[in-house]
Amino acid sequence: TVEHQDPRELRLPEDEFDVVHSSWLLHRLADPEVALRAMARAVLPGGQVVLQWSFGRPAADGLAMRDALDGVYAHARWKERLAGAPSAIHRHSVERVRDVLVDEGLEIVVEQRDVAVSAGPDPEALRRFARATAFSEPADVLGDDADAFVDEVLSALFESGHADLHNARLIARRRGDEDDVSDADDGDQAPLLVRPFPQAVGLLEVVEADSLSPLMRRLTLHGEGLADMIVEQPGEIVTLIWPARGTEEIFLPEPGRWRFAGGREQPARNYTVRAFDAEARSLTVDFFLHGDHGDRGFRGEDGDEGEATEATEAAAAGDHGAAGRWAGAARPGDRVGFAGSRVHWVTDPAAEWTLLVGDETALPAIAATVAELPTDHPTFVVLEVRDEAEHAALDVDHAHARVHWVHRGDAEPGRGRGLEDAVRALTLPDGPGQVWAAGESLVIRSLRAHLLKERELPKATVSALGYWSHPRTSRASRTT
């Protein structure tokens, strides 16, 4: 759901979100307090507010770059055209922003001042950054002349010696119930949901390719860049990157920011970290081979090279399921880029039971989570797959889990009510639990409504993610 609001009068539902993220907004507001308090109140217990803004110095320090900026705005070429979009840059110190968040009951977990802009000395990248952040409003007014204006601004700032934007970053967390159990033991604190992304980037080479089932393909990848990646939770997310269509070179984003040099657009998809070994520089990813590709899409050692090229080009074009076709055709020596990793769910140590629900796209994350849960922890798993042959994809010891398989047969994934009906039929234990579910967006939306409204589970205990969706033009009723 997308909703457009004026940040000066921001209104968000309270206790609703795991993460609220704002980038390069606060310095455009004369008074950011309304927006800050709305964002702080919107996060659930254990949730986080992530803020990035420029000019994070006290207003009393003055704005040394003001004279340089005023000179550019007064230039005959810009003065009249920018009369309706005057320079509106406001300084809000880290201390001021921090005090508002703390007053709303949040604790600061990351505080960074004078954050370096990843654009670095590259003039083109620096221009894009400035145009998208501090000078976006005049850039919108000037249209095709925006780059010339931003260049003039940057030149004036560098010549005056006041080009430092004093970028700041804060991550604040609302304390959860589990924090009151033992504040003295840092080991009891919930892990940080948000980390700078990507932590690590690099090129990976396929070293092993196996089929777990007709529709699930496992690739083991190796790359030196994995030494810098941190994986703390089961089922974390890694982003794989392919070369753009018509090229063979894989360009990587800058560490700490999802930005590509030269404004390049790179096709990328998110996947679950099924297994990871930083010391061995090894990453394991399981791919669901969408549609009718399955084992017919596999390529052996003597397979057709053209098939891999075609699959890579399809992935570069954003073709639905193309990444699965690439995985189905991949063999040792094939390369792919990576950026990682991100936490998408943190298990609750206070939960007395766990319910995991999903289709094949969620199966790797479910398998990784089941493998980490204690064997005496009541665990319920509901999985929709094509048929019994797909059971092998859950290749972990799950004797302690009650697994309910839903077979859809030849029906299209993400249609029908089989997954939800299986959950409805479950008798869950009393006491606090936790739920993680992922799959087709409409299926998951309906399932989430059942869990929250009919079973009346607390919002903070239910994480329901739409991993994928059918094209809107072809969405049909899920009633069978």
Side-chain angles (χ1 to χ4, degrees):
T1 302
V2 177
E3 183 177 338
H4 184 271
Q5 293 191 37
D6 185 337
R8 296 168 296 183
E9 301 175 355
L10 184 62
R11 297 184 181 184
L12 297 172
E14 297 186 7
D15 298 325
E16 180 72 17
F17 304 106
D18 291 317
V19 176
V20 176
H21 184 195
S22 169
S23 283
W24 318 120
L25 168 68
L26 297 184
H27 56 263
R28 303 183 193 180
L29 304 178
D31 185 352
E33 188 165 328
V34 170
L36 287 171
R37 292 191 183 279
M39 289 188 280
R41 295 169 184 173
V43 294
L44 291 159
Q48 293 164 14
V49 175
V50 182
L51 304 173
Q52 296 183 113
W53 74 101
S54 297
F55 313 109
R57 290 286 185 90
D61 289 356
L63 190 57
M65 64 174 64
R66 176 66 68 189
D67 290 343
L69 291 175
D70 288 346
V72 176
Y73 276 79
H75 193 284
R77 183 179 181 185
W78 313 119
K79 184 175 181 179
E80 183 175 344
R81 297 175 67 184
L82 293 178
S87 174
I89 296 175
H90 306 278
R91 305 199 75 157
H92 304 303
S93 68
V94 172
E95 289 78 9
R96 181 189 182 188
V97 175
R98 182 183 62 203
D99 288 348
V100 174
L101 298 177
V102 171
D103 186 57
E104 287 293 335
L106 277 63
E107 60 179 346
I108 306 302
V109 293
V110 173
E111 180 177 312
Q112 297 174 308
R113 302 164 187 258
D114 294 323
V115 178
V117 177
S118 60
D122 178 358
E124 177 61 27
L126 187 58
R127 176 201 290 162
R128 288 197 312 276
F129 176 81
R131 176 172 174 166
T133 55
F135 306 105
S136 63
E137 291 184 19
D140 289 341
V141 172
L142 295 173
D144 292 340
D145 291 330
D147 284 346
F149 168 76
V150 173
D151 285 345
E152 191 170 330
V153 166
L154 293 176
S155 295
L157 293 178
F158 278 108
E159 289 173 4
S160 67
H162 299 302
D164 190 346
L165 299 182
H166 300 299
N167 300 308
R169 179 183 294 129
L170 281 181
I171 300 179
R173 175 177 172 272
R174 182 170 297 284
R175 294 166 64 84
D177 294 339
E178 69 276 7
D179 296 317
D180 297 327
V181 176
S182 175
D183 285 339
D185 185 357
D186 290 341
D188 289 339
Q189 298 296 311
L192 193 63
L193 285 171
V194 178
R195 297 186 296 240
F197 175 83
Q199 308 163 319
V201 300
L203 295 176
L204 301 176
E205 182 175 305
V206 177
V207 295
E208 192 172 344
D210 300 293
S211 57
L212 299 180
S213 70
L215 291 179
M216 193 69 71
R217 179 79 153 165
R218 171 167 293 173
L219 298 184
T220 303
L221 305 151
H222 179 272
E224 290 301 317
L226 293 172
D228 298 323
M229 193 167 81
I230 299 172
V231 175
E232 300 173 304
Q233 297 295 316
E236 289 200 25
I237 299 298
V238 64
T239 301
L240 298 184
I241 305 164
W242 286 268
R245 187 165 193 147
T247 68
E248 296 184 359
E249 186 173 1
I250 300 172
F251 293 97
L252 302 173
E254 300 164 353
R257 287 174 59 82
W258 185 254
R259 295 287 189 275
F260 292 88
R264 299 180 178 90
E265 293 293 333
Q266 295 291 110
R269 299 233 177 204
N270 295 328
Y271 286 92
T272 297
V273 174
R274 183 61 186 83
F276 175 67
D277 187 332
E279 185 174 351
R281 315 294 197 261
S282 177
L283 171 69
T284 300
V285 178
D286 293 348
F287 293 79
F288 172 48
L289 308 179
H290 295 262
D292 62 353
H293 312 297
D295 44 16
R296 291 185 288 271
F298 290 178
R299 179 188 65 182
E301 290 297 320
D302 298 323
D304 180 11
E305 190 71 33
E307 182 180 351
T309 301
E310 181 180 351
T312 301
E313 290 182 353
D319 182 20
H320 180 69
R325 290 198 292 278
W326 175 86
R331 65 180 179 182
D334 288 348
R335 298 198 311 164
V336 67
F338 88 94
S341 64
R342 285 177 285 185
V343 176
H344 77 148
W345 189 55
V346 177
T347 56
D348 182 358
E352 297 178 3
W353 54 268
T354 298
L355 170 62
L356 305 168
V357 185
D359 57 20
E360 289 97 336
T361 62
L363 199 155
I366 290 175
T369 302
V370 169
E372 294 295 324
L373 290 172
T375 56
D376 60 350
H377 179 81
T379 303
F380 303 82
V381 177
V382 181
L383 279 166
E384 179 188 292
V385 296
R386 184 173 67 180
D387 51 37
E388 190 173 352
E390 298 306 313
H391 293 197
L394 187 64
D395 67 329
V396 295
D397 181 5
H398 55 272
H400 61 290
R402 303 179 189 179
V403 181
H404 302 263
W405 295 97
V406 177
H407 296 161
R408 65 173 176 272
D410 292 331
E412 188 179 6
R415 309 290 192 189
R417 299 182 56 91
L419 200 61
E420 182 178 325
D421 287 345
V423 173
R424 287 176 174 274
L426 292 178
T427 300
L428 297 174
D430 295 328
Q434 60 184 351
V435 180
W436 183 87
E440 200 280 330
S441 60
L442 291 183
V443 172
I444 297 302
R445 183 187 302 177
S446 180
L447 176 62
R448 183 175 187 270
H450 162 67
L451 295 169
L452 297 181
K453 297 179 181 179
E454 298 180 42
R455 290 192 182 257
E456 298 183 338
L457 297 179
K459 286 183 180 179
T461 68
V462 177
S463 178
L465 309 174
Y467 263 15
W468 64 282
S469 62
H470 288 290
R472 291 185 179 181
T473 55
S474 64
R475 280 183 179 172
S477 170
R478 296 194 305 108
T479 304
T480 57

mmCIF file with all atom_site columns, all heavy atoms in Angstrom, residues 352-370:
data_model
loop_
_atom_site.group_PDB
_atom_site.id
_atom_site.type_symbol
_atom_site.label_atom_id
_atom_site.label_alt_id
_atom_site.label_comp_id
_atom_site.label_asym_id
_atom_site.label_entity_id
_atom_site.label_seq_id
_atom_site.pdbx_PDB_ins_code
_atom_site.Cartn_x
_atom_site.Cartn_y
_atom_site.Cartn_z
_atom_site.occupancy
_atom_site.B_iso_or_equiv
_atom_site.pdbx_formal_charge
_atom_site.auth_seq_id
_atom_site.auth_comp_id
_atom_site.auth_asym_id
_atom_site.auth_atom_id
_atom_site.pdbx_PDB_model_num
ATOM 1   N N   . GLU A 1 352 ? 6.752  -19.480 23.056 1.00 0.00 ? 352 GLU A N   1
ATOM 2   C CA  . GLU A 1 352 ? 6.629  -20.859 23.538 1.00 0.00 ? 352 GLU A CA  1
ATOM 3   C C   . GLU A 1 352 ? 6.315  -21.835 22.418 1.00 0.00 ? 352 GLU A C   1
ATOM 4   O O   . GLU A 1 352 ? 6.336  -23.050 22.627 1.00 0.00 ? 352 GLU A O   1
ATOM 5   C CB  . GLU A 1 352 ? 5.550  -20.932 24.622 1.00 0.00 ? 352 GLU A CB  1
ATOM 6   C CG  . GLU A 1 352 ? 5.894  -20.091 25.861 1.00 0.00 ? 352 GLU A CG  1
ATOM 7   C CD  . GLU A 1 352 ? 4.805  -20.114 26.917 1.00 0.00 ? 352 GLU A CD  1
ATOM 8   O OE1 . GLU A 1 352 ? 3.792  -20.840 26.719 1.00 0.00 ? 352 GLU A OE1 1
ATOM 9   O OE2 . GLU A 1 352 ? 4.957  -19.415 27.940 1.00 0.00 ? 352 GLU A OE2 1
ATOM 10  N N   . TRP A 1 353 ? 6.005  -21.323 21.232 1.00 0.00 ? 353 TRP A N   1
ATOM 11  C CA  . TRP A 1 353 ? 5.777  -22.169 20.064 1.00 0.00 ? 353 TRP A CA  1
ATOM 12  C C   . TRP A 1 353 ? 5.992  -21.326 18.802 1.00 0.00 ? 353 TRP A C   1
ATOM 13  O O   . TRP A 1 353 ? 5.981  -20.094 18.852 1.00 0.00 ? 353 TRP A O   1
ATOM 14  C CB  . TRP A 1 353 ? 4.371  -22.776 20.065 1.00 0.00 ? 353 TRP A CB  1
ATOM 15  C CG  . TRP A 1 353 ? 3.254  -21.763 20.196 1.00 0.00 ? 353 TRP A CG  1
ATOM 16  C CD1 . TRP A 1 353 ? 2.661  -21.344 21.358 1.00 0.00 ? 353 TRP A CD1 1
ATOM 17  C CD2 . TRP A 1 353 ? 2.604  -21.036 19.129 1.00 0.00 ? 353 TRP A CD2 1
ATOM 18  N NE1 . TRP A 1 353 ? 1.694  -20.396 21.097 1.00 0.00 ? 353 TRP A NE1 1
ATOM 19  C CE2 . TRP A 1 353 ? 1.630  -20.204 19.744 1.00 0.00 ? 353 TRP A CE2 1
ATOM 20  C CE3 . TRP A 1 353 ? 2.744  -21.012 17.755 1.00 0.00 ? 353 TRP A CE3 1
ATOM 21  C CZ2 . TRP A 1 353 ? 0.810  -19.355 19.002 1.00 0.00 ? 353 TRP A CZ2 1
ATOM 22  C CZ3 . TRP A 1 353 ? 1.928  -20.164 17.010 1.00 0.00 ? 353 TRP A CZ3 1
ATOM 23  C CH2 . TRP A 1 353 ? 0.975  -19.364 17.640 1.00 0.00 ? 353 TRP A CH2 1
ATOM 24  N N   . THR A 1 354 ? 6.189  -22.004 17.673 1.00 0.00 ? 354 THR A N   1
ATOM 25  C CA  . THR A 1 354 ? 6.456  -21.317 16.407 1.00 0.00 ? 354 THR A CA  1
ATOM 26  C C   . THR A 1 354 ? 5.640  -21.946 15.290 1.00 0.00 ? 354 THR A C   1
ATOM 27  O O   . THR A 1 354 ? 5.563  -23.172 15.180 1.00 0.00 ? 354 THR A O   1
ATOM 28  C CB  . THR A 1 354 ? 7.954  -21.387 16.046 1.00 0.00 ? 354 THR A CB  1
ATOM 29  O OG1 . THR A 1 354 ? 8.713  -20.726 17.056 1.00 0.00 ? 354 THR A OG1 1
ATOM 30  C CG2 . THR A 1 354 ? 8.238  -20.728 14.695 1.00 0.00 ? 354 THR A CG2 1
ATOM 31  N N   . LEU A 1 355 ? 5.038  -21.102 14.452 1.00 0.00 ? 355 LEU A N   1
ATOM 32  C CA  . LEU A 1 355 ? 4.325  -21.545 13.255 1.00 0.00 ? 355 LEU A CA  1
ATOM 33  C C   . LEU A 1 355 ? 5.020  -20.945 12.041 1.00 0.00 ? 355 LEU A C   1
ATOM 34  O O   . LEU A 1 355 ? 5.215  -19.728 11.962 1.00 0.00 ? 355 LEU A O   1
ATOM 35  C CB  . LEU A 1 355 ? 2.865  -21.085 13.300 1.00 0.00 ? 355 LEU A CB  1
ATOM 36  C CG  . LEU A 1 355 ? 2.043  -21.271 12.014 1.00 0.00 ? 355 LEU A CG  1
ATOM 37  C CD1 . LEU A 1 355 ? 1.942  -22.752 11.629 1.00 0.00 ? 355 LEU A CD1 1
ATOM 38  C CD2 . LEU A 1 355 ? 0.647  -20.649 12.159 1.00 0.00 ? 355 LEU A CD2 1
ATOM 39  N N   . LEU A 1 356 ? 5.406  -21.791 11.084 1.00 0.00 ? 356 LEU A N   1
ATOM 40  C CA  . LEU A 1 356 ? 6.073  -21.378 9.850  1.00 0.00 ? 356 LEU A CA  1
ATOM 41  C C   . LEU A 1 356 ? 5.221  -21.811 8.664  1.00 0.00 ? 356 LEU A C   1
ATOM 42  O O   . LEU A 1 356 ? 4.871  -23.000 8.550  1.00 0.00 ? 356 LEU A O   1
ATOM 43  C CB  . LEU A 1 356 ? 7.464  -21.998 9.764  1.00 0.00 ? 356 LEU A CB  1
ATOM 44  C CG  . LEU A 1 356 ? 8.390  -21.732 10.961 1.00 0.00 ? 356 LEU A CG  1
ATOM 45  C CD1 . LEU A 1 356 ? 9.617  -22.641 10.894 1.00 0.00 ? 356 LEU A CD1 1
ATOM 46  C CD2 . LEU A 1 356 ? 8.807  -20.276 11.006 1.00 0.00 ? 356 LEU A CD2 1
ATOM 47  N N   . VAL A 1 357 ? 4.891  -20.869 7.782  1.00 0.00 ? 357 VAL A N   1
ATOM 48  C CA  . VAL A 1 357 ? 3.953  -21.153 6.691  1.00 0.00 ? 357 VAL A CA  1
ATOM 49  C C   . VAL A 1 357 ? 4.509  -20.590 5.388  1.00 0.00 ? 357 VAL A C   1
ATOM 50  O O   . VAL A 1 357 ? 5.043  -19.474 5.364  1.00 0.00 ? 357 VAL A O   1
ATOM 51  C CB  . VAL A 1 357 ? 2.576  -20.505 6.969  1.00 0.00 ? 357 VAL A CB  1
ATOM 52  C CG1 . VAL A 1 357 ? 1.570  -20.917 5.885  1.00 0.00 ? 357 VAL A CG1 1
ATOM 53  C CG2 . VAL A 1 357 ? 2.060  -20.879 8.351  1.00 0.00 ? 357 VAL A CG2 1
ATOM 54  N N   . GLY A 1 358 ? 4.359  -21.340 4.283  1.00 0.00 ? 358 GLY A N   1
ATOM 55  C CA  . GLY A 1 358 ? 4.775  -20.778 3.008  1.00 0.00 ? 358 GLY A CA  1
ATOM 56  C C   . GLY A 1 358 ? 4.708  -21.766 1.866  1.00 0.00 ? 358 GLY A C   1
ATOM 57  O O   . GLY A 1 358 ? 4.387  -22.940 2.048  1.00 0.00 ? 358 GLY A O   1
ATOM 58  N N   . ASP A 1 359 ? 5.047  -21.258 0.675  1.00 0.00 ? 359 ASP A N   1
ATOM 59  C CA  . ASP A 1 359 ? 5.159  -22.103 -0.509 1.00 0.00 ? 359 ASP A CA  1
ATOM 60  C C   . ASP A 1 359 ? 6.638  -22.377 -0.771 1.00 0.00 ? 359 ASP A C   1
ATOM 61  O O   . ASP A 1 359 ? 7.481  -22.176 0.102  1.00 0.00 ? 359 ASP A O   1
ATOM 62  C CB  . ASP A 1 359 ? 4.467  -21.451 -1.714 1.00 0.00 ? 359 ASP A CB  1
ATOM 63  C CG  . ASP A 1 359 ? 5.021  -20.060 -2.028 1.00 0.00 ? 359 ASP A CG  1
ATOM 64  O OD1 . ASP A 1 359 ? 6.153  -19.751 -1.580 1.00 0.00 ? 359 ASP A OD1 1
ATOM 65  O OD2 . ASP A 1 359 ? 4.344  -19.285 -2.714 1.00 0.00 ? 359 ASP A OD2 1
ATOM 66  N N   . GLU A 1 360 ? 6.968  -22.815 -1.979 1.00 0.00 ? 360 GLU A N   1
ATOM 67  C CA  . GLU A 1 360 ? 8.365  -23.165 -2.264 1.00 0.00 ? 360 GLU A CA  1
ATOM 68  C C   . GLU A 1 360 ? 9.316  -21.982 -2.133 1.00 0.00 ? 360 GLU A C   1
ATOM 69  O O   . GLU A 1 360 ? 10.487 -22.160 -1.794 1.00 0.00 ? 360 GLU A O   1
ATOM 70  C CB  . GLU A 1 360 ? 8.505  -23.753 -3.676 1.00 0.00 ? 360 GLU A CB  1
ATOM 71  C CG  . GLU A 1 360 ? 7.906  -25.138 -3.842 1.00 0.00 ? 360 GLU A CG  1
ATOM 72  C CD  . GLU A 1 360 ? 6.507  -25.095 -4.417 1.00 0.00 ? 360 GLU A CD  1
ATOM 73  O OE1 . GLU A 1 360 ? 5.829  -24.052 -4.270 1.00 0.00 ? 360 GLU A OE1 1
ATOM 74  O OE2 . GLU A 1 360 ? 6.083  -26.093 -5.028 1.00 0.00 ? 360 GLU A OE2 1
ATOM 75  N N   . THR A 1 361 ? 8.835  -20.761 -2.402 1.00 0.00 ? 361 THR A N   1
ATOM 76  C CA  . THR A 1 361 ? 9.728  -19.610 -2.286 1.00 0.00 ? 361 THR A CA  1
ATOM 77  C C   . THR A 1 361 ? 10.117 -19.362 -0.837 1.00 0.00 ? 361 THR A C   1
ATOM 78  O O   . THR A 1 361 ? 11.163 -18.759 -0.563 1.00 0.00 ? 361 THR A O   1
ATOM 79  C CB  . THR A 1 361 ? 9.072  -18.340 -2.865 1.00 0.00 ? 361 THR A CB  1
ATOM 80  O OG1 . THR A 1 361 ? 7.883  -18.032 -2.123 1.00 0.00 ? 361 THR A OG1 1
ATOM 81  C CG2 . THR A 1 361 ? 8.725  -18.539 -4.338 1.00 0.00 ? 361 THR A CG2 1
ATOM 82  N N   . ALA A 1 362 ? 9.300  -19.802 0.086  1.00 0.00 ? 362 ALA A N   1
ATOM 83  C CA  . ALA A 1 362 ? 9.586  -19.640 1.512  1.00 0.00 ? 362 ALA A CA  1
ATOM 84  C C   . ALA A 1 362 ? 10.283 -20.851 2.105  1.00 0.00 ? 362 ALA A C   1
ATOM 85  O O   . ALA A 1 362 ? 10.797 -20.779 3.229  1.00 0.00 ? 362 ALA A O   1
ATOM 86  C CB  . ALA A 1 362 ? 8.283  -19.388 2.272  1.00 0.00 ? 362 ALA A CB  1
ATOM 87  N N   . LEU A 1 363 ? 10.316 -21.950 1.374  1.00 0.00 ? 363 LEU A N   1
ATOM 88  C CA  . LEU A 1 363 ? 10.846 -23.197 1.929  1.00 0.00 ? 363 LEU A CA  1
ATOM 89  C C   . LEU A 1 363 ? 12.294 -23.083 2.406  1.00 0.00 ? 363 LEU A C   1
ATOM 90  O O   . LEU A 1 363 ? 12.624 -23.584 3.494  1.00 0.00 ? 363 LEU A O   1
ATOM 91  C CB  . LEU A 1 363 ? 10.679 -24.324 0.908  1.00 0.00 ? 363 LEU A CB  1
ATOM 92  C CG  . LEU A 1 363 ? 10.739 -25.755 1.441  1.00 0.00 ? 363 LEU A CG  1
ATOM 93  C CD1 . LEU A 1 363 ? 9.982  -26.708 0.512  1.00 0.00 ? 363 LEU A CD1 1
ATOM 94  C CD2 . LEU A 1 363 ? 12.158 -26.258 1.611  1.00 0.00 ? 363 LEU A CD2 1
ATOM 95  N N   . PRO A 1 364 ? 13.208 -22.441 1.670  1.00 0.00 ? 364 PRO A N   1
ATOM 96  C CA  . PRO A 1 364 ? 14.584 -22.321 2.186  1.00 0.00 ? 364 PRO A CA  1
ATOM 97  C C   . PRO A 1 364 ? 14.658 -21.606 3.532  1.00 0.00 ? 364 PRO A C   1
ATOM 98  O O   . PRO A 1 364 ? 15.417 -22.007 4.421  1.00 0.00 ? 364 PRO A O   1
ATOM 99  C CB  . PRO A 1 364 ? 15.302 -21.538 1.084  1.00 0.00 ? 364 PRO A CB  1
ATOM 100 C CG  . PRO A 1 364 ? 14.542 -21.864 -0.164 1.00 0.00 ? 364 PRO A CG  1
ATOM 101 C CD  . PRO A 1 364 ? 13.115 -21.925 0.278  1.00 0.00 ? 364 PRO A CD  1
ATOM 102 N N   . ALA A 1 365 ? 13.898 -20.525 3.694  1.00 0.00 ? 365 ALA A N   1
ATOM 103 C CA  . ALA A 1 365 ? 13.906 -19.806 4.969  1.00 0.00 ? 365 ALA A CA  1
ATOM 104 C C   . ALA A 1 365 ? 13.305 -20.656 6.078  1.00 0.00 ? 365 ALA A C   1
ATOM 105 O O   . ALA A 1 365 ? 13.784 -20.645 7.216  1.00 0.00 ? 365 ALA A O   1
ATOM 106 C CB  . ALA A 1 365 ? 13.138 -18.489 4.837  1.00 0.00 ? 365 ALA A CB  1
ATOM 107 N N   . ILE A 1 366 ? 12.246 -21.389 5.759  1.00 0.00 ? 366 ILE A N   1
ATOM 108 C CA  . ILE A 1 366 ? 11.631 -22.258 6.760  1.00 0.00 ? 366 ILE A CA  1
ATOM 109 C C   . ILE A 1 366 ? 12.603 -23.355 7.175  1.00 0.00 ? 366 ILE A C   1
ATOM 110 O O   . ILE A 1 366 ? 12.752 -23.670 8.361  1.00 0.00 ? 366 ILE A O   1
ATOM 111 C CB  . ILE A 1 366 ? 10.313 -22.834 6.211  1.00 0.00 ? 366 ILE A CB  1
ATOM 112 C CG1 . ILE A 1 366 ? 9.264  -21.711 6.113  1.00 0.00 ? 366 ILE A CG1 1
ATOM 113 C CG2 . ILE A 1 366 ? 9.811  -23.978 7.079  1.00 0.00 ? 366 ILE A CG2 1
ATOM 114 C CD1 . ILE A 1 366 ? 7.962  -22.138 5.480  1.00 0.00 ? 366 ILE A CD1 1
ATOM 115 N N   . ALA A 1 367 ? 13.289 -23.945 6.200  1.00 0.00 ? 367 ALA A N   1
ATOM 116 C CA  . ALA A 1 367 ? 14.256 -24.994 6.515  1.00 0.00 ? 367 ALA A CA  1
ATOM 117 C C   . ALA A 1 367 ? 15.372 -24.455 7.400  1.00 0.00 ? 367 ALA A C   1
ATOM 118 O O   . ALA A 1 367 ? 15.784 -25.091 8.380  1.00 0.00 ? 367 ALA A O   1
ATOM 119 C CB  . ALA A 1 367 ? 14.836 -25.584 5.228  1.00 0.00 ? 367 ALA A CB  1
ATOM 120 N N   . ALA A 1 368 ? 15.882 -23.261 7.081  1.00 0.00 ? 368 ALA A N   1
ATOM 121 C CA  . ALA A 1 368 ? 16.958 -22.670 7.877  1.00 0.00 ? 368 ALA A CA  1
ATOM 122 C C   . ALA A 1 368 ? 16.496 -22.377 9.297  1.00 0.00 ? 368 ALA A C   1
ATOM 123 O O   . ALA A 1 368 ? 17.250 -22.549 10.262 1.00 0.00 ? 368 ALA A O   1
ATOM 124 C CB  . ALA A 1 368 ? 17.454 -21.389 7.210  1.00 0.00 ? 368 ALA A CB  1
ATOM 125 N N   . THR A 1 369 ? 15.238 -21.957 9.445  1.00 0.00 ? 369 THR A N   1
ATOM 126 C CA  . THR A 1 369 ? 14.708 -21.642 10.774 1.00 0.00 ? 369 THR A CA  1
ATOM 127 C C   . THR A 1 369 ? 14.473 -22.911 11.584 1.00 0.00 ? 369 THR A C   1
ATOM 128 O O   . THR A 1 369 ? 14.819 -22.971 12.774 1.00 0.00 ? 369 THR A O   1
ATOM 129 C CB  . THR A 1 369 ? 13.403 -20.847 10.646 1.00 0.00 ? 369 THR A CB  1
ATOM 130 O OG1 . THR A 1 369 ? 13.652 -19.658 9.888  1.00 0.00 ? 369 THR A OG1 1
ATOM 131 C CG2 . THR A 1 369 ? 12.865 -20.459 12.012 1.00 0.00 ? 369 THR A CG2 1
ATOM 132 N N   . VAL A 1 370 ? 13.900 -23.922 10.963 1.00 0.00 ? 370 VAL A N   1
ATOM 133 C CA  . VAL A 1 370 ? 13.664 -25.187 11.658 1.00 0.00 ? 370 VAL A CA  1
ATOM 134 C C   . VAL A 1 370 ? 14.974 -25.768 12.182 1.00 0.00 ? 370 VAL A C   1
ATOM 135 O O   . VAL A 1 370 ? 15.046 -26.296 13.297 1.00 0.00 ? 370 VAL A O   1
ATOM 136 C CB  . VAL A 1 370 ? 12.962 -26.199 10.728 1.00 0.00 ? 370 VAL A CB  1
ATOM 137 C CG1 . VAL A 1 370 ? 12.951 -27.598 11.337 1.00 0.00 ? 370 VAL A CG1 1
ATOM 138 C CG2 . VAL A 1 370 ? 11.528 -25.742 10.449 1.00 0.00 ? 370 VAL A CG2 1
#
